[in-house]
Structure formats: C-alpha cells, structure tokens
C-alpha cells in the first residue's frame, strides 16, 4: 500500500471507507486501515476532512518494523490432534526467537480445542493465542484467515511460520495478502541474520538446482511455510506452562463464503512417510507396477513403509502419497532404501537427511551412490530376494 493513515489525526468518520474506489480501507478498532488492494490512486488523501491520510514516498513504503515482536507458529490441528509439523516448527521457532531475543508463541484455532494449549506450552510456546468458535472446528479458509489476520494486526508478530501442508499452503498466502507482506513457501532452512535480526528464508529454486535465500526487509510479518519432516522436533517438557491469550472469533453474514458439506477421506491408499522409521522406495528400475510387490515385501519385513520416485508415480505405478522428493514428501527415517532410483537432485532433496541410506542400483555410476552409506551394485530383482532370504 502506498498511503498511510495518521492515527493521531483519524477521527473514525469512515468517509474514506465509503469513497475508496477499490474498497481498500476498512475500520479497525475505530481507526481507518489501508489494506493490500490499495492501488495508490490518491483519492482518499483529498477526501479525508481531517488530513489524516498521507502518501508514502517510495523509500518509506513498508511498515514500521520496530512495532513487530515475537515468533508465531500456526498450531495446525485436525480432529483435535496437533499436526507433527507444528511441533517441528515450535522447535525451529524457539531457535529463531532465542536468536532475536523475543518470545515464541503459537496461534491455535478450534472448537473446544483448549486441550492442546498445554501441549503447545510443553513443546516450547511461551504464549498461546487461542480462538474458539464452532466455525473454527475444522479448517475453513475464510474463518481462519479472518481470525488470524485480526490477531496479527492487533499483536504484530515479527515472524509467522506455517507447515507446508495443504492447510498451511492455503492459509499462508491468504494471510500474507491481507497483511500486505511476502511469503516464502516450502522453506528448508531458516536463520536469523546476526547483523539486523531479519529472517533468512532458504528454499530450493530452479527445480532444486540452487538454494535461494529470501528476505522480507520492509514488510511484516515475515512469513514462511516449511515442509513437514524438515525441522527437528523439540523435547517435550511435561508440566511446562505459559501465558494463554484468548482472541475474539466473531463472524457476521458474508464473512464465511465456504461451507464444508462433507469430508471424504481419500479413497486411495494413504501412507505416512513422515513418521516412518524405515522406508523402502522403488524407482523406474522396477520396470513396472508389479515391482512394488517386491518392494512391499521388504518394507513389511522391516516394519517400514513403501516410498517411490516421481518417475513411478508419473507412470501411474503407485499413488502420489508414496512419492518422496521435492514435489512429494520430505522424509527422515532411520533407514532409507533406494531401489532402482538414479538419485536425481529432486529425489535427494526429499531423503538425503535420512539416518542411513542403502542404495541398490545396477549402474555403479548412479548419483544415488554419492549420498548412500551402503551401496549395492546389482539387479534389484536379485538383491532384494537375497536380503529377504537372509532376514528369513
Ligand atoms: P530414473 O532416473 O530413470 O532411474 C532409474 C534407475 O534404476 C537408474 O539409475 C537405473 O540404473 C536403475 N535400474 C534400472 N533397472 C534396475 C534394476 N533391475 N536393478 C537395479 N537398478 C536398476 N523425482 C522424485 O523422485 N521426487 C520428486 O519429488 C521429484 N520432483 C521433481 C520436481 C521437478 C520440478 C522436476 C523437474 C523433477 C522432479 N523429479 C522428482 C523427477 C526427477 O528429476 C527424476 O526424473 C526422477 O527422480 C527419476 O526417477 P527414478 O530415479 O526412479 O528414474
Ligand atoms: Fe479517518 Fe480521515 Fe478516513 Fe475519516 S476519512 S476515517 S478521519 S482517515
Ligand atoms: Fe483507496 Fe486510492 Fe486511498 Fe489507496 S490511495 S486507499 S486505493 S482511495
């Protein structure tokens, strides 16, 4: 936005709200507030009878960053259970908050979800902002955006982190647009610049061929989504407590344009790659969908789950929920078997932090061997049955 309301001069007459041709001004706590749809037309400056609106020159665009404090984590709950990515973000958020010298906070929305507040304290939150309403029981874009946006305007967090889940990927951009700030999606690394304490958000760019570090220097909050499984979970400290702050959640007609009529769980087989201790993944080297039967036998024998490369998913051999990599799931099992997978950078991006990597490939020059702890050069149709024989 390119105009600014001068709070000391604004009398709350609402003239600018009615006259803005782009609907960019709303009232917040009796003062006018300019939103991101402002086109800088300048109409409101002349309209305000109290001289309370001024134009920002180019250099002054952005917000007064000194007003923003604390690191917030969106505590994503589904059916009253906290998503593990939110716990991971509390661990990462704590490190960032310590480096900045501020508090770690969680923002939780739900209907009777206060049972999770203690859990959030135990995973490191100093404060929990909690909104309770029937409309917030399950995720709803309009309802969650309204409540959290209002809380951001009121409490002014410096950083807001969300999981790069389907919900976080929907909510994050909506909030960023409302706040007129930026959002870096799918971050794999977050740091604080020791010089100016700004958030350095690193994510793969150009198909994963280089890592880009992105800053949000003039707008707040600094917002990132982070993929599940990338950050470490913090230790849970049973009995740790903090400050609970209840935030308003009132809706009027028209606020919520989306109605959830029914929730139908995916009919395809779903797999939980993020929590698995052992993953046995198959690639194009399987030669066809039937190869996953052998992969499944090894996974079952080791108490693990089946993963896949994108080549096999694109060929329709297995469901996308099994895909590991940049456009699939990021995983960190104790042991990862890559069977007939060449080791493209986009696949490595999703599994190279695994505890031990075992690669089976008939091409001794396959790039997967560069990240493997144990490499077996051979035909997977001979090697895997031999392993199963040894395991008995
Ligand atoms: P291939 O590269 O074809 O490798 C097959 C391997 O099997 C070869 O190394 C071969 O030597 C070996 N082999 C063949 N037969 C046998 C046998 N009998 N026994 C043992 N070894 C055998 N890929 C992902 O996996 N995940 C992603 O999330 C992902 N995201 C992407 C995002 C973008 C933007 C792009 C551009 C690409 C992405 N890809 C992703 C695709 C990636 O670049 C590769 O094309 C893909 O990973 C290759 O899959 P693969 O290793 O199974 O197949
Ligand atoms: Fe405030 Fe001026 Fe807008 Fe009236 S017209 S609400 S005084 S900014
Ligand atoms: Fe609306 Fe134009 Fe004022 Fe922006 S400058 S708030 S678009 S009237």
């Amino acid at each position: 936005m390119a105009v600014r309301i001068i709070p000391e001069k604004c009398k709350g007459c609402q003239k600018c709200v009615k006259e803005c041709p782009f609907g960019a001004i709303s009232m917040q706590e009796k003062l006018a507030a300019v939103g991101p749809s402002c086109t800088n037309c300048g109409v409101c400056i002349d309209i305000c009878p109290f001289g309370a609106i001024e134009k920002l020159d180019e250099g002054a665009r952005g917000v007064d960053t000194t007003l923003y404090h604390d690191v917030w984590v969106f505590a994503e709950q589904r059916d009253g259970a906290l998503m593990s990515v939110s716990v991971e973000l509390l661990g990462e958020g704590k490190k960032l908050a310590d480096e900045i010298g501020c508090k770690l906070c969680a923002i939780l929305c739900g209907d009777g979800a206060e049972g999770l507040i203690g859990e959030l304290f135990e995973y490191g939150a100093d404060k929990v902002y909690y909104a309770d309403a029937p409309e917030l029981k399950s995720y709803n874009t309009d309802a969650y955006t309204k409540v959290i946006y209002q809380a951001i305007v009121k409490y002014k967090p410096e950083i807001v982190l969300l999981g790069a889940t389907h919900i976080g990927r929907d909510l994050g951009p909506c909030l960023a647009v409302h706040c007129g700030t930026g959002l870096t999606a799918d971050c794999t690394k977050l740091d604080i610049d020791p010089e100016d304490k700004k958030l350095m958000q690193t994510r793969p760019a150009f198909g994963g061929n280089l890592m880009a570090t992105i800053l949000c220097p003039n707008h707040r909050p600094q917002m990132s989504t982070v993929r599940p499984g990338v950050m470490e979970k913090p230790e849970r400290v049973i009995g740790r407590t903090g400050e609970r702050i209840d935030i308003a959640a009132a809706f009027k007609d028209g606020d919520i344009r989306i109605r959830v009529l029914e929730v139908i769980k995916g009919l395809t087989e779903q797999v939980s790659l993020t929590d698995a201790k052992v993953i046995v993944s198959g690639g194009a080297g399987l030669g066809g969908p039937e190869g996953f039967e052998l992969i499944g036998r090894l996974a079952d024998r080791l108490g693990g789950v089946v993963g896949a490369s994108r080549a096999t998913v694109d060929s329709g051999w297995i469901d996308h929920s099994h895909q590991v990599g940049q456009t699939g799931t990021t995983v960190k099992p104790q042991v990862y078997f890559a069977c007939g997978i060449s080791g493209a950078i986009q696949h490595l991006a999703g599994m190279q932090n695994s505890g031990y990597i075992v690669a089976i490939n008939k091409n001794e020059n396959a790039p997967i061997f560069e990240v493997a702890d144990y490499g077996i050069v051979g035909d997977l149709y001979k090697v895997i049955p031999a392993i199963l024989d040894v395991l008995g």
Side-chain angles (χ1 to χ4, degrees):
M1 74 206 87
V3 293
R4 183 180 91 95
I5 307 294
I6 305 166
E8 308 78 50
K9 291 191 179 174
C10 176
K11 304 280 184 240
C13 71
Q14 303 196 22
K15 203 160 178 223
C16 59
V17 178
K18 292 183 197 107
E19 299 291 339
C20 169
F22 299 95
I25 309 183
S26 58
M27 297 304 290
Q28 277 167 21
E29 301 197 341
K30 301 192 178 150
L31 290 181
V34 181
S37 52
C38 171
T39 62
N40 193 19
C41 71
V43 166
C44 56
I45 296 174
D46 299 328
I47 276 173
C48 174
F50 304 99
I53 307 181
E54 67 178 1
K55 199 174 183 88
L56 291 172
D57 61 38
E58 281 297 317
R61 281 197 190 189
V63 295
D64 180 354
T65 56
T66 61
L67 298 176
Y68 291 75
H69 301 284
D70 296 343
V71 176
W72 280 21
V73 169
F74 169 58
E76 183 177 330
Q77 59 87 13
R78 293 191 202 169
D79 299 330
L82 196 58
M83 299 301 288
S84 54
V85 68
S86 303
V87 177
E88 292 161 12
L89 289 180
L90 285 170
E92 188 63 18
K94 179 74 182 153
K95 282 189 228 153
L96 302 177
D98 286 349
E99 280 176 56
I100 299 172
C102 67
K103 296 221 180 311
L104 173 67
C105 310
I107 181 148
L108 173 69
C109 298
D111 181 22
E114 48 272 268
L116 296 177
I117 295 175
E119 200 176 326
L120 293 165
F121 290 142
E122 290 179 349
Y123 279 118
D126 301 308
K127 293 183 191 175
V128 175
Y129 294 90
Y130 177 54
D132 188 276
E135 295 87 346
L136 300 172
K137 185 174 173 57
S138 311
Y139 178 69
N140 178 298
T141 307
D142 286 337
Y144 273 52
T145 301
K146 179 174 183 192
V147 167
I148 299 176
Y149 168 62
Q150 285 178 342
I152 290 174
V153 169
K154 185 166 180 186
Y155 296 103
K156 297 190 169 35
E158 191 169 2
I159 293 173
V160 176
L161 307 177
L162 305 96
T165 58
H166 289 103
I167 288 177
R169 284 175 177 177
D170 183 70
L171 178 63
C174 288
L175 290 172
V177 168
H178 275 74
C179 297
T181 189
L183 171 87
T184 306
D186 275 357
C187 293
T188 50
K189 193 163 172 277
L190 298 171
D191 293 297
I192 298 297
D193 186 328
E195 301 266 303
D196 58 11
K197 305 287 181 198
K198 289 198 176 86
L199 181 65
M200 296 160 67
Q201 307 162 90
T202 302
R203 55 151 296 151
F206 295 104
N209 289 311
L210 62 86
M211 301 304 279
T213 298
I214 295 165
L215 303 176
C216 179
N218 301 322
H219 295 82
R220 292 292 179 272
Q222 302 162 90
M223 293 185 60
S224 320
T225 61
V226 178
R227 283 177 161 226
V230 175
M231 305 297 183
E232 295 285 340
K233 275 188 188 168
E235 288 290 322
R236 184 171 182 169
V237 180
I238 301 295
R240 186 180 180 280
T241 58
E243 184 185 354
R244 167 180 170 164
I245 297 160
D246 289 295
I247 54 176
F251 302 97
K252 54 183 186 335
D253 279 355
D255 278 350
I256 301 177
R257 297 161 299 171
I258 300 154
R259 267 192 311 139
V260 180
L261 300 179
E262 195 182 354
V263 177
I264 301 170
K265 303 262 184 206
L267 294 175
T268 48
E269 187 197 347
Q270 295 293 312
V271 62
S272 178
L273 291 170
T274 23
D275 299 326
K277 296 204 169 16
V278 176
I279 296 175
V280 183
S281 282
L286 293 177
E290 57 287 345
F292 277 106
E293 193 270 325
L294 182 62
I295 296 290
R297 272 168 48 209
L298 181 57
D300 283 349
R301 182 64 190 81
L302 297 171
V305 299
V306 172
S309 73
R310 176 160 157 182
T312 62
V313 174
D314 286 352
S315 301
W317 298 352
I318 192 162
D319 185 72
H320 178 263
S321 61
H322 292 264
Q323 185 181 314
V324 172
Q326 188 188 319
T327 43
T329 304
T330 304
V331 299
K332 212 169 17 174
Q334 289 168 5
V335 188
Y336 186 87
F337 282 79
C339 311
I341 292 177
S342 58
I345 189 151
Q346 297 88 359
H347 188 82
L348 301 185
M351 47 61 81
Q352 61 195 353
N353 292 330
S354 304
Y356 288 96
I357 297 170
V358 182
I360 305 169
N361 197 301
K362 66 180 185 187
N363 174 6
E364 64 181 30
N365 296 316
I368 192 73
F369 289 126
E370 286 167 29
V371 298
D373 298 285
Y374 297 97
I376 304 170
V377 179
D379 182 346
L380 66 91
Y381 284 102
K382 293 188 179 141
V383 175
I384 296 178
I387 296 174
L388 285 167
D389 276 350
V390 172
L391 292 172

